[in-house]
Amino acid sequence: MYEDEDANEFASRQRAESNAFLKFFYVVVTNPFFNLLVFLLILANTITLAIDDYPQSLRKEQVLADLNEFFTWIFFAEMLLKMVGLGVKNYARDRFNLFDAIVVMLSLCDWVISQSLSEENIGDAGD
C-alpha cells in the first residue's frame, strides 16, 4: 500500500513540475497547513451539525442553513483544488478523496434540492 502512495505522490509531483500553474496548486494542496485548515473546517462543520436541535428559532435555523451552505462550497473548492493539484487520476487513487468527493456531491445535491424547494423560489414561481 505504501508503494502505491509513493508512486501516486511521485506521479503528482512529476506532473506538477511540467507546468507552473499545476505546480502552484500541487504545492498548495500538499502543504501541511492546507491539511490543517481542512481539518479545522471539518471540525467546525461537525460542531455546526451538532448544534442543530428541535425546536429552534427561525434565526438559528437560517444561520445553520447558511453555515451548511458555506461549508458545502468550501469543501467543493477543496475538492477542485486537490483535483487540479494532484490530477484527477491521482486524486481518485486515494480512497479518502473518493469518500470526500461522494460526501461533497451529496451535499451539493442536498443544496440544489433545498434551493428548489425553498419558499422564496416557490413564491417567485407563482408571480
Side-chain angles (χ1 to χ4, degrees):
M1 179 164 164
Y2 293 112
E3 291 175 15
D4 289 343
E5 289 177 14
D6 292 338
N8 289 343
E9 185 178 339
F10 177 75
S12 294
R13 205 170 342 125
Q14 189 176 30
R15 178 183 163 276
E17 290 298 325
S18 66
N19 183 315
F21 177 78
L22 298 177
K23 184 175 184 175
F24 171 78
F25 286 102
Y26 174 79
V27 169
V28 168
V29 300
T30 59
N31 188 307
F33 291 114
F34 179 80
N35 290 327
L36 176 63
L37 177 63
V38 170
F39 171 76
L40 292 174
L41 287 166
I42 291 169
L43 185 63
N45 188 29
T46 303
I47 291 168
T48 301
L49 293 172
I51 292 173
D52 194 15
D53 61 354
Y54 183 82
Q56 61 188 7
S57 69
L58 290 176
R59 173 146 171 77
K60 183 177 179 182
E61 189 175 318
Q62 184 60 48
V63 168
L64 291 177
D66 291 344
L67 285 170
N68 186 46
E69 183 175 347
F70 168 77
F71 287 120
T72 296
W73 291 110
I74 289 294
F75 293 133
F76 178 68
E78 178 232 351
M79 182 181 76
L80 292 179
L81 285 171
K82 282 187 169 183
M83 284 182 175
V84 172
L86 301 175
V88 175
K89 280 185 182 180
N90 293 322
Y91 176 86
R93 287 183 181 147
D94 184 340
R95 291 181 185 195
F96 181 76
N97 285 339
L98 292 178
F99 173 74
D100 187 41
I102 290 168
V103 171
V104 168
M105 290 300 144
L106 289 173
S107 295
L108 287 172
C109 289
D110 176 61
W111 180 80
V112 167
I113 291 168
S114 68
Q115 291 298 306
S116 66
L117 296 178
S118 72
E119 291 179 1
E120 295 172 6
N121 290 340
I122 292 171
D124 291 343
D127 292 335

